[in-house]
mmCIF file of all heavy atoms in Angstrom:
data_model
loop_
_atom_site.group_PDB
_atom_site.id
_atom_site.type_symbol
_atom_site.label_atom_id
_atom_site.label_comp_id
_atom_site.label_asym_id
_atom_site.label_seq_id
_atom_site.Cartn_x
_atom_site.Cartn_y
_atom_site.Cartn_z
ATOM 1 N N THR R 540 -16.908 13.486 13.038
ATOM 2 C CA THR R 540 -18.028 14.140 12.348
ATOM 3 C C THR R 540 -18.866 14.979 13.306
ATOM 4 O O THR R 540 -19.739 15.728 12.872
ATOM 5 C CB THR R 540 -18.948 13.096 11.685
ATOM 6 O OG1 THR R 540 -19.589 12.305 12.698
ATOM 7 C CG2 THR R 540 -18.163 12.193 10.761
ATOM 8 N N VAL R 541 -18.616 14.842 14.616
ATOM 9 C CA VAL R 541 -19.432 15.524 15.626
ATOM 10 C C VAL R 541 -18.805 16.860 15.993
ATOM 11 O O VAL R 541 -17.623 16.937 16.337
ATOM 12 C CB VAL R 541 -19.591 14.647 16.886
ATOM 13 C CG1 VAL R 541 -20.376 15.406 17.960
ATOM 14 C CG2 VAL R 541 -20.297 13.339 16.534
ATOM 15 N N ILE R 542 -19.629 17.916 15.914
ATOM 16 C CA ILE R 542 -19.162 19.249 16.306
ATOM 17 C C ILE R 542 -19.436 19.489 17.781
ATOM 18 O O ILE R 542 -18.553 19.870 18.544
ATOM 19 C CB ILE R 542 -19.842 20.334 15.442
ATOM 20 C CG1 ILE R 542 -19.450 20.137 13.976
ATOM 21 C CG2 ILE R 542 -19.446 21.729 15.910
ATOM 22 C CD1 ILE R 542 -20.151 21.066 13.028
ATOM 23 N N GLU R 543 -20.670 19.255 18.195
ATOM 24 C CA GLU R 543 -21.015 19.358 19.614
ATOM 25 C C GLU R 543 -22.395 18.746 19.839
ATOM 26 O O GLU R 543 -23.132 18.442 18.896
ATOM 27 C CB GLU R 543 -20.998 20.810 20.087
ATOM 28 C CG GLU R 543 -22.052 21.709 19.479
ATOM 29 C CD GLU R 543 -21.996 23.119 20.035
ATOM 30 O OE1 GLU R 543 -20.980 23.831 19.800
ATOM 31 O OE2 GLU R 543 -22.963 23.512 20.697
ATOM 32 N N THR R 544 -22.721 18.566 21.104
ATOM 33 C CA THR R 544 -24.049 18.061 21.478
ATOM 34 C C THR R 544 -24.771 19.146 22.273
ATOM 35 O O THR R 544 -24.136 19.938 22.985
ATOM 36 C CB THR R 544 -23.936 16.783 22.325
ATOM 37 O OG1 THR R 544 -23.221 17.078 23.530
ATOM 38 C CG2 THR R 544 -23.205 15.693 21.554
ATOM 39 N N GLN R 545 -26.095 19.153 22.142
ATOM 40 C CA GLN R 545 -26.877 20.184 22.814
ATOM 41 C C GLN R 545 -28.197 19.609 23.309
ATOM 42 O O GLN R 545 -28.743 18.672 22.720
ATOM 43 C CB GLN R 545 -27.188 21.346 21.858
ATOM 44 C CG GLN R 545 -26.013 22.240 21.533
ATOM 45 C CD GLN R 545 -26.458 23.513 20.833
ATOM 46 O OE1 GLN R 545 -27.650 23.806 20.745
ATOM 47 N NE2 GLN R 545 -25.499 24.287 20.336
ATOM 48 N N SER R 546 -28.690 20.203 24.377
ATOM 49 C CA SER R 546 -30.066 19.967 24.809
ATOM 50 C C SER R 546 -30.905 21.078 24.181
ATOM 51 O O SER R 546 -30.665 22.260 24.416
ATOM 52 C CB SER R 546 -30.157 20.017 26.337
ATOM 53 O OG SER R 546 -31.489 19.837 26.748
ATOM 54 N N ILE R 547 -31.890 20.694 23.353
ATOM 55 C CA ILE R 547 -32.622 21.664 22.530
ATOM 56 C C ILE R 547 -34.101 21.685 22.922
ATOM 57 O O ILE R 547 -34.738 20.629 23.037
ATOM 58 C CB ILE R 547 -32.484 21.321 21.039
ATOM 59 C CG1 ILE R 547 -30.999 21.258 20.640
ATOM 60 C CG2 ILE R 547 -33.210 22.338 20.167
ATOM 61 C CD1 ILE R 547 -30.756 20.797 19.227
ATOM 62 N N LEU R 548 -34.623 22.890 23.107
ATOM 63 C CA LEU R 548 -36.052 23.062 23.377
ATOM 64 C C LEU R 548 -36.820 23.108 22.059
ATOM 65 O O LEU R 548 -36.292 23.509 21.021
ATOM 66 C CB LEU R 548 -36.293 24.346 24.170
ATOM 67 C CG LEU R 548 -35.627 24.438 25.546
ATOM 68 C CD1 LEU R 548 -35.859 25.817 26.149
ATOM 69 C CD2 LEU R 548 -36.165 23.349 26.472
ATOM 70 N N TYR R 549 -38.093 22.732 22.108
ATOM 71 C CA TYR R 549 -38.929 22.742 20.903
ATOM 72 C C TYR R 549 -38.995 24.144 20.302
ATOM 73 O O TYR R 549 -39.005 24.315 19.088
ATOM 74 C CB TYR R 549 -40.332 22.236 21.247
ATOM 75 C CG TYR R 549 -41.278 22.282 20.067
ATOM 76 C CD1 TYR R 549 -41.237 21.302 19.081
ATOM 77 C CD2 TYR R 549 -42.202 23.321 19.933
ATOM 78 C CE1 TYR R 549 -42.094 21.345 17.990
ATOM 79 C CE2 TYR R 549 -43.063 23.375 18.844
ATOM 80 C CZ TYR R 549 -43.000 22.383 17.875
ATOM 81 O OH TYR R 549 -43.850 22.430 16.796
ATOM 82 N N SER R 550 -38.984 25.135 21.165
ATOM 83 C CA SER R 550 -39.102 26.518 20.690
ATOM 84 C C SER R 550 -37.897 26.960 19.877
ATOM 85 O O SER R 550 -37.947 27.964 19.163
ATOM 86 C CB SER R 550 -39.289 27.465 21.883
ATOM 87 O OG SER R 550 -38.188 27.360 22.775
ATOM 88 N N GLN R 551 -36.804 26.210 19.979
ATOM 89 C CA GLN R 551 -35.602 26.562 19.226
ATOM 90 C C GLN R 551 -35.636 26.042 17.786
ATOM 91 O O GLN R 551 -34.773 26.389 16.986
ATOM 92 C CB GLN R 551 -34.351 26.019 19.942
ATOM 93 C CG GLN R 551 -34.082 26.693 21.274
ATOM 94 C CD GLN R 551 -32.892 26.081 21.986
ATOM 95 O OE1 GLN R 551 -33.013 25.079 22.689
ATOM 96 N NE2 GLN R 551 -31.729 26.691 21.796
ATOM 97 N N PHE R 552 -36.609 25.187 17.476
ATOM 98 C CA PHE R 552 -36.789 24.722 16.103
ATOM 99 C C PHE R 552 -37.630 25.714 15.332
ATOM 100 O O PHE R 552 -38.518 26.364 15.876
ATOM 101 C CB PHE R 552 -37.482 23.348 16.069
ATOM 102 C CG PHE R 552 -36.663 22.232 16.652
ATOM 103 C CD1 PHE R 552 -37.175 21.428 17.664
ATOM 104 C CD2 PHE R 552 -35.380 21.982 16.194
ATOM 105 C CE1 PHE R 552 -36.440 20.400 18.200
ATOM 106 C CE2 PHE R 552 -34.628 20.957 16.733
ATOM 107 C CZ PHE R 552 -35.149 20.165 17.734
ATOM 108 N N SER R 553 -37.374 25.789 14.026
ATOM 109 C CA SER R 553 -38.205 26.602 13.141
ATOM 110 C C SER R 553 -38.821 25.684 12.097
ATOM 111 O O SER R 553 -38.092 24.975 11.387
ATOM 112 C CB SER R 553 -37.376 27.688 12.453
ATOM 113 O OG SER R 553 -36.824 28.573 13.403
ATOM 114 N N ARG R 554 -40.149 25.692 12.035
ATOM 115 C CA ARG R 554 -40.827 24.860 11.044
ATOM 116 C C ARG R 554 -40.842 25.613 9.716
ATOM 117 O O ARG R 554 -41.296 26.747 9.635
ATOM 118 C CB ARG R 554 -42.260 24.565 11.493
ATOM 119 C CG ARG R 554 -42.980 23.558 10.596
ATOM 120 C CD ARG R 554 -44.465 23.520 10.934
ATOM 121 N NE ARG R 554 -44.700 23.059 12.285
ATOM 122 C CZ ARG R 554 -44.912 21.789 12.621
ATOM 123 N NH1 ARG R 554 -44.922 20.876 11.676
ATOM 124 N NH2 ARG R 554 -45.125 21.467 13.868
ATOM 125 N N VAL R 555 -40.330 24.955 8.660
ATOM 126 C CA VAL R 555 -40.319 25.595 7.345
ATOM 127 C C VAL R 555 -41.380 25.021 6.415
ATOM 128 O O VAL R 555 -41.804 25.676 5.468
ATOM 129 C CB VAL R 555 -38.928 25.482 6.686
ATOM 130 C CG1 VAL R 555 -37.904 26.287 7.457
ATOM 131 C CG2 VAL R 555 -38.479 24.033 6.568
ATOM 132 N N HIS R 556 -41.799 23.753 6.688
ATOM 133 C CA HIS R 556 -42.857 23.152 5.875
ATOM 134 C C HIS R 556 -43.275 21.831 6.501
ATOM 135 O O HIS R 556 -42.454 20.939 6.677
ATOM 136 C CB HIS R 556 -42.370 22.928 4.442
ATOM 137 C CG HIS R 556 -43.442 22.406 3.525
ATOM 138 N ND1 HIS R 556 -43.679 21.077 3.328
ATOM 139 C CD2 HIS R 556 -44.355 23.068 2.765
ATOM 140 C CE1 HIS R 556 -44.679 20.909 2.479
ATOM 141 N NE2 HIS R 556 -45.114 22.117 2.119
ATOM 142 N N ASP R 557 -44.577 21.706 6.824
ATOM 143 C CA ASP R 557 -45.102 20.480 7.436
ATOM 144 C C ASP R 557 -44.178 20.019 8.568
ATOM 145 O O ASP R 557 -44.038 20.698 9.569
ATOM 146 C CB ASP R 557 -45.280 19.390 6.384
ATOM 147 C CG ASP R 557 -46.402 19.733 5.407
ATOM 148 O OD1 ASP R 557 -47.274 20.554 5.779
ATOM 149 O OD2 ASP R 557 -46.398 19.203 4.286
ATOM 150 N N ASN R 558 -43.539 18.833 8.377
ATOM 151 C CA ASN R 558 -42.657 18.304 9.421
ATOM 152 C C ASN R 558 -41.177 18.573 9.126
ATOM 153 O O ASN R 558 -40.302 17.848 9.580
ATOM 154 C CB ASN R 558 -42.875 16.795 9.580
ATOM 155 C CG ASN R 558 -44.231 16.496 10.171
ATOM 156 O OD1 ASN R 558 -44.676 17.188 11.093
ATOM 157 N ND2 ASN R 558 -44.902 15.486 9.637
ATOM 158 N N ILE R 559 -40.925 19.614 8.360
ATOM 159 C CA ILE R 559 -39.545 19.977 8.037
ATOM 160 C C ILE R 559 -39.113 21.110 8.965
ATOM 161 O O ILE R 559 -39.759 22.155 9.024
ATOM 162 C CB ILE R 559 -39.411 20.410 6.573
ATOM 163 C CG1 ILE R 559 -39.872 19.266 5.656
ATOM 164 C CG2 ILE R 559 -37.979 20.801 6.258
ATOM 165 C CD1 ILE R 559 -39.881 19.639 4.202
ATOM 166 N N PHE R 560 -38.000 20.862 9.703
ATOM 167 C CA PHE R 560 -37.533 21.822 10.699
ATOM 168 C C PHE R 560 -36.079 22.188 10.441
ATOM 169 O O PHE R 560 -35.310 21.404 9.873
ATOM 170 C CB PHE R 560 -37.652 21.237 12.110
ATOM 171 C CG PHE R 560 -39.061 21.014 12.560
ATOM 172 C CD1 PHE R 560 -39.746 19.853 12.201
ATOM 173 C CD2 PHE R 560 -39.712 21.950 13.355
ATOM 174 C CE1 PHE R 560 -41.042 19.636 12.622
ATOM 175 C CE2 PHE R 560 -41.016 21.737 13.778
ATOM 176 C CZ PHE R 560 -41.684 20.586 13.412
ATOM 177 N N VAL R 561 -35.711 23.378 10.880
ATOM 178 C CA VAL R 561 -34.316 23.802 10.894
ATOM 179 C C VAL R 561 -33.989 24.302 12.298
ATOM 180 O O VAL R 561 -34.883 24.641 13.080
ATOM 181 C CB VAL R 561 -34.021 24.907 9.851
ATOM 182 C CG1 VAL R 561 -34.173 24.378 8.446
ATOM 183 C CG2 VAL R 561 -34.900 26.121 10.089
ATOM 184 N N PHE R 562 -32.695 24.316 12.591
ATOM 185 C CA PHE R 562 -32.243 24.732 13.910
ATOM 186 C C PHE R 562 -31.196 25.831 13.736
ATOM 187 O O PHE R 562 -30.301 25.742 12.898
ATOM 188 C CB PHE R 562 -31.635 23.542 14.651
ATOM 189 C CG PHE R 562 -30.953 23.892 15.939
ATOM 190 C CD1 PHE R 562 -31.663 24.433 17.014
ATOM 191 C CD2 PHE R 562 -29.577 23.697 16.092
ATOM 192 C CE1 PHE R 562 -31.024 24.762 18.194
ATOM 193 C CE2 PHE R 562 -28.940 24.014 17.272
ATOM 194 C CZ PHE R 562 -29.667 24.553 18.323
ATOM 195 N N ASN R 563 -31.331 26.883 14.539
ATOM 196 C CA ASN R 563 -30.394 28.005 14.468
ATOM 197 C C ASN R 563 -29.150 27.659 15.290
ATOM 198 O O ASN R 563 -29.150 27.726 16.510
ATOM 199 C CB ASN R 563 -31.054 29.275 15.008
ATOM 200 C CG ASN R 563 -30.190 30.510 14.762
ATOM 201 O OD1 ASN R 563 -28.969 30.430 14.746
ATOM 202 N ND2 ASN R 563 -30.840 31.647 14.567
ATOM 203 N N PHE R 564 -28.091 27.292 14.565
ATOM 204 C CA PHE R 564 -26.842 26.941 15.221
ATOM 205 C C PHE R 564 -25.837 28.065 15.006
ATOM 206 O O PHE R 564 -25.270 28.226 13.934
ATOM 207 C CB PHE R 564 -26.298 25.620 14.661
ATOM 208 C CG PHE R 564 -24.978 25.205 15.243
ATOM 209 C CD1 PHE R 564 -24.875 24.833 16.577
ATOM 210 C CD2 PHE R 564 -23.827 25.199 14.463
ATOM 211 C CE1 PHE R 564 -23.653 24.448 17.117
ATOM 212 C CE2 PHE R 564 -22.605 24.819 14.991
ATOM 213 C CZ PHE R 564 -22.520 24.448 16.334
ATOM 214 N N ARG R 565 -25.696 28.894 16.017
ATOM 215 C CA ARG R 565 -24.772 30.029 15.989
ATOM 216 C C ARG R 565 -24.985 30.907 14.755
ATOM 217 O O ARG R 565 -24.040 31.260 14.041
ATOM 218 C CB ARG R 565 -23.326 29.535 16.051
ATOM 219 C CG ARG R 565 -23.010 28.781 17.337
ATOM 220 C CD ARG R 565 -21.620 28.193 17.334
ATOM 221 N NE ARG R 565 -21.397 27.408 18.530
ATOM 222 C CZ ARG R 565 -20.353 26.608 18.726
ATOM 223 N NH1 ARG R 565 -19.433 26.511 17.780
ATOM 224 N NH2 ARG R 565 -20.224 25.921 19.839
#
Side-chain angles (χ1 to χ4, degrees):
T540 66
V541 177
I542 298 175
E543 66 178 66
T544 61
Q545 287 192 9
S546 178
I547 304 174
L548 299 175
Y549 177 79
S550 59
Q551 293 177 275
F552 294 126
S553 298
R554 187 191 297 268
V555 293
H556 184 270
D557 292 338
N558 291 319
I559 301 175
F560 293 84
V561 294
F562 171 63
N563 188 329
F564 178 67
R565 298 175 184 170

